[in-house]
Amino acid sequence: MNPGGSADDAREPFRRQAFDFSPWSFWSSADEEARADQEALQRQLTAGPPGYRFGPRCFVSRLASVQNEVLELGPSSYVAAGAYLSGSLRTGRNCTLNPYTVVRGEVRLGDAVRIGAHTSLLAFNHTMTDPDVEVFRQPVTPKGITVGDDVWIGSHVVVLDGVTVGSRSVLAAGAVVTKDVPAGAVVGGNPARVLRWRVPDAAPAPASTASTGSGTGENGTGDLAAAVADLSRRAREQAGEVLDRCYDPARGLFADRPGAPPTVRAQCDAVEVAALLLGGPPPQLDGEEQRERLRSWQDARTGLVGQLDDSGSPRRPAGTQLEDGDVSYHVLCVGYALELLGSGFPHPVAVVADMEASDVVAYLRRQPWQHRAWTAGNYVDTLGTALHWNQRAGVPGRPGAVEAVFGWLGLNADPATGMWGGRDPDGSLLQVVNGFYRTTRGTYAQFGVPLPRPERVVDTVLQHVRDPQLFAPGRQNACNVLDVAHPLWLTRSTGYRAEEVRDVARRLLRDALGHWTDGQGFGFQAPHPSTRSLEPTRPGLQGTEMWLALVWLLADLAGVAPALGYRPRGIHRPEPAPTNGDQA
C-alpha cells in the first residue's frame, strides 16, 4: 500500500494514506498492491445488492463512509477519505468528492464536477408543518439535487434540496446555495447570489424596454402586448402568402416547405394555420374537397392513416399497431384537421376499440419510459386521442379502458418530478419534459382530468427551462418550447411559483416574437446566424403551426393573450376537447 518512498523515510506514516486524501493521483502513481486492493474493494461493493457500478479508473477510499442504495461513478471519478455518502448518487466522468464531503439523498452530477473538502449536498429535508411533533419525527420531503457539467464547487459549500446547478458554473467557498444556479455563473455568499459570469455569453441580455417595466402595466406588459399584437397582424396579413409558398397546384397538395415532398401532416398543418389566422380552410383548396380527401385516407380496416407515396396517394398502414412513427401522429393531426373542417374520421380506430383494460395497462407498461420518455409519451398521446375519437363517434370501447389509462399514469407518476420516465444519460430533463407534454396532451389535457402532481411538474419544468443549451434564443426549437409552455399553462391554476412562471413565459415569448420571417412564417428551429444553413430553420407549415400555438400559451401566461386576437384550435387547443354533446 506504500505509494512510494523509502520505508525509513520520516514521512512514511503520512504517505500511507496519501491516496485516500488525494485520490486523483491514484491510478498514475499507486503500486500494484494498492491497485489490486482498490479493485478488490470495488468488486466487493458491486457483488452486493444491486445499485453499485463503477467506471474504469474509479477510486473509493476505504476511509469513506459509503451507505448508498445506489452508487454509480462514471470513469475516473473518486471518493476521498472522510466522505459520507447515502441515498442515490450518480456521477458522470472525472468527478471528485474531496475529503469530508457529505452527499446525501438523490444527487446527480454531470461530467467533470469537482467538489471541495467539507462541502455538503443535502438532497432531502424534514417538514416542520406540525409544531406539536418533533421535527425529526416529521416526514422527509426529497426533491433531489442536479449538477451539470464542468462545475467547480468550493470548500465548505452547502447545497440544499431541490437545487439545480447549471453547467460550467462555480460555487465559491462557503456559499449556501438555496436556489438554482444559472449555467455559467459564479455564485457566492449566504444565501448565494450571482457574483459574475464565468461564461460571459451565458449572462442575461440587458433588460429591454418591455422587460424593465417602462411600458404600461407591470413589467412592461403594455409594450409586450403591443409586440404580440404586431406579430398577430403581420401573420394574418401574410397567411395567404405563407400557405401559397408551400402549395403545389399541379398535385393539389401541401408540402411543409418549398422543395419538400407532400405529407399527410403538411395538409393538416395547412388546415390548422388557415383556421387560426383566416378563420376557415386554406384558400388554395376547396374546404369540402380537402375534407373528403382526408376522410378517404383513413384505412377502413384499422382506422389508421398511412403515409403518402411518391405519387401523393396514401399507402395502406403496414399493420394495426399504434406504435408506428408518422402513422401514430396521423391519428392526432388528421382527426383534428377534420374537426376544423366540420367533420371527423368515418371509421373508428379499430385496434383501440378492441382494447380491454388489461391491454391498455400492458400497452403503457411496454413503452420505453426510462430511456425514451418522449417516444413513450408520443404513443400514449396517440392512444388517448384514438380513445377520444372513438368516443366522439359513439364507439365507447371496452369497459374500463379509459379509466385504465388514468389509473396507470396516476400510480406511476414520479413523486419527485410529477412526470414519467428517467433522465437522459447526461442528466438532462429533455426526454422527461417533452414526454410529459405528449403524454398529458392526449390524456389529462384532452379529457379535462386533473394532474396527479402539478406542483412537482412546475418544479421540473422551471429547472429544465434554465438549460441554455436548449433555451438560449439561438438554440430554441418549437418542440422544446411548446413542451415547456403547455405544462406551465396546464398547471397555472395552482398559483405555484406563479411569478417565476410569468417571468419564463415573458422571456420565451419575447424570443418567439423575433423568430417570424415575413412572407414565410416560422421555422421549426429558431433562426440564428450560427444555424441559418440548417434545414429546420427554414420556415414551413409545421414550424408556423407550432409556434403560433405556443405563442398563445406563453402570451396567456404572460397576461397579454387578448392582444393576439386568436386562440389555438385543433390539435393544440388549450381546453379539453369537446365530447359528443359539445360544439367543436
Side-chain angles (χ1 to χ4, degrees):
M1 298 290 291
N2 183 358
S6 169
D8 297 327
D9 193 319
R11 292 172 292 176
E12 178 61 21
F14 301 104
R15 288 178 172 168
R16 290 173 185 168
Q17 296 176 347
F19 295 128
D20 292 291
F21 288 88
S22 302
W24 47 87
S25 60
F26 178 82
W27 290 103
S28 62
S29 303
D31 59 26
E32 290 301 320
E33 181 184 358
R35 294 188 183 198
D37 180 72
Q38 178 60 207
E39 290 167 351
L41 173 62
Q42 293 185 26
R43 284 195 301 271
Q44 178 183 349
L45 292 171
T46 55
Y52 282 50
R53 185 169 61 189
F54 303 102
R57 300 176 71 82
C58 285
F59 177 88
V60 179
S61 171
R62 289 184 177 273
L63 301 180
S65 176
V66 178
Q67 302 177 18
N68 301 83
E69 288 81 39
V70 174
L71 179 62
E72 298 179 1
L73 301 183
S76 300
S77 293
Y78 313 116
V79 177
Y84 172 28
L85 314 181
S86 67
S88 173
L89 172 62
R90 296 177 172 88
T91 84
R93 60 169 177 79
N94 297 103
C95 293
T96 297
L97 281 66
N98 275 314
Y100 305 106
T101 296
V102 176
V103 180
R104 304 189 64 196
E106 177 79 26
V107 177
R108 289 176 178 268
L109 309 180
D111 294 333
V113 177
R114 318 297 275 199
I115 302 177
H118 299 278
T119 282
S120 297
L121 278 63
L122 305 175
F124 64 91
N125 204 351
H126 280 281
T127 57
M128 56 185 79
T129 55
D130 189 341
D132 296 323
V133 177
E134 294 166 316
V135 170
F136 82 95
R137 300 184 188 278
Q138 298 198 40
V140 169
T141 57
K143 295 180 181 178
I145 293 172
T146 300
V147 180
D149 299 330
D150 184 21
V151 174
W152 175 21
I153 302 178
S155 296
H156 295 277
V157 170
V158 177
V159 182
L160 298 184
D161 188 31
V163 166
T164 295
V165 178
S167 296
R168 298 195 291 173
S169 58
V170 175
L171 280 57
V176 178
V177 184
T178 62
K179 296 182 179 180
D180 291 353
V181 176
V186 179
V187 303
N190 180 7
R193 59 182 179 83
V194 175
L195 304 176
R196 58 187 177 86
W197 292 89
R198 177 191 170 201
V199 182
D201 290 344
S208 66
T209 301
S211 63
T212 57
S214 59
T216 304
E218 183 184 6
N219 292 321
T221 299
D223 291 336
L224 185 57
V228 163
D230 180 64
L231 171 69
S232 178
R233 176 188 58 79
R234 291 158 58 202
R236 290 176 186 279
E237 291 175 350
Q238 300 167 24
E241 186 179 357
V242 169
L243 292 164
D244 199 49
R245 70 186 286 270
C246 299
Y247 182 66
D248 180 357
R251 306 172 83 176
L253 292 169
F254 288 95
D256 180 61
R257 49 186 177 265
T263 62
V264 171
R265 177 166 185 164
Q267 316 316 304
C268 302
D269 286 337
V271 171
E272 296 259 3
V273 170
L276 202 64
L277 298 179
L278 301 177
Q284 290 79 7
L285 193 66
D286 178 75
E288 183 176 352
E289 180 182 352
Q290 178 78 338
R291 179 172 60 246
E292 293 309 311
R293 181 166 64 187
L294 288 174
R295 283 172 58 88
S296 73
W297 286 354
Q298 187 189 30
D299 178 58
R301 181 178 64 88
T302 63
L304 302 175
V305 179
Q307 301 183 54
L308 301 184
D309 61 22
D310 293 338
S311 69
S313 300
R315 296 188 180 100
R316 183 170 180 170
T320 61
Q321 295 298 312
L322 295 177
E323 299 138 303
D324 184 7
D326 289 338
V327 173
S328 173
Y329 193 76
H330 294 165
V331 173
L332 282 63
C333 67
V334 176
Y336 272 103
L338 284 170
E339 182 184 79
L340 291 171
L341 293 168
S343 185
F345 280 126
H347 311 287
V349 182
V351 64
V352 171
D354 296 333
M355 274 186 167
E356 302 283 356
S358 59
D359 299 324
V360 170
V361 171
Y363 178 90
L364 296 170
R365 282 177 174 167
R366 73 171 178 255
Q367 299 309 320
W369 295 106
Q370 289 305 312
H371 306 291
R372 289 182 292 137
W374 183 90
T375 300
N378 174 29
Y379 293 139
V380 175
D381 194 355
T382 303
L383 172 65
T385 306
L387 288 166
H388 164 66
W389 294 135
N390 287 356
Q391 289 188 344
R392 290 281 301 275
V395 181
R398 304 294 188 185
V402 174
E403 291 80 359
V405 173
F406 293 102
W408 190 92
L409 290 174
L411 288 172
N412 287 276
D414 185 340
T417 65
M419 301 184 178
W420 298 272
R423 295 171 181 258
D424 293 350
D426 63 357
S428 166
L429 286 162
L430 179 63
Q431 284 276 332
V432 176
V433 173
N434 289 17
F436 175 84
Y437 163 66
R438 290 301 303 271
T439 298
T440 56
R441 195 220 69 86
T443 56
Y444 291 92
Q446 188 158 236
F447 284 83
V449 175
L451 291 171
R453 301 177 185 274
E455 292 187 354
R456 298 292 77 75
V457 170
V458 175
D459 289 337
T460 303
V461 173
L462 291 180
Q463 175 182 337
H464 172 59
V465 79
R466 290 181 175 87
D467 187 345
Q469 298 299 313
L470 299 171
F471 296 102
R475 293 181 175 270
Q476 296 168 10
N477 68 45
C479 183
N480 293 344
V481 179
L482 176 63
D483 295 351
V484 161
H486 189 269
L488 292 179
W489 191 88
L490 198 60
T491 56
R492 72 200 184 287
S493 62
T494 65
Y496 181 63
R497 300 179 71 175
E499 189 55 44
E500 294 173 78
V501 169
R502 282 192 291 272
D503 288 344
V504 166
R506 289 165 182 153
R507 173 172 65 85
L508 293 177
L509 178 58
R510 292 186 189 99
D511 293 342
L513 297 176
H515 298 339
W516 176 269
T517 299
D518 282 333
Q520 301 180 47
F522 286 108
F524 176 78
Q525 183 173 334
H528 189 267
S530 65
T531 58
R532 65 180 54 176
S533 63
L534 299 180
E535 194 70 14
T537 64
R538 293 183 57 200
L541 295 177
Q542 178 184 349
T544 300
E545 186 273 326
M546 294 181 71
W547 281 104
L548 286 174
L550 68 87
V551 160
W552 184 91
L553 293 167
L554 294 171
D556 197 54
L557 288 169
V560 295
L564 275 174
Y566 69 75
R567 185 181 184 90
R569 301 171 62 192
I571 198 167
H572 293 122
R573 170 204 316 274
E575 53 275 316
T579 61
N580 278 325
D582 298 327
Q583 295 296 317

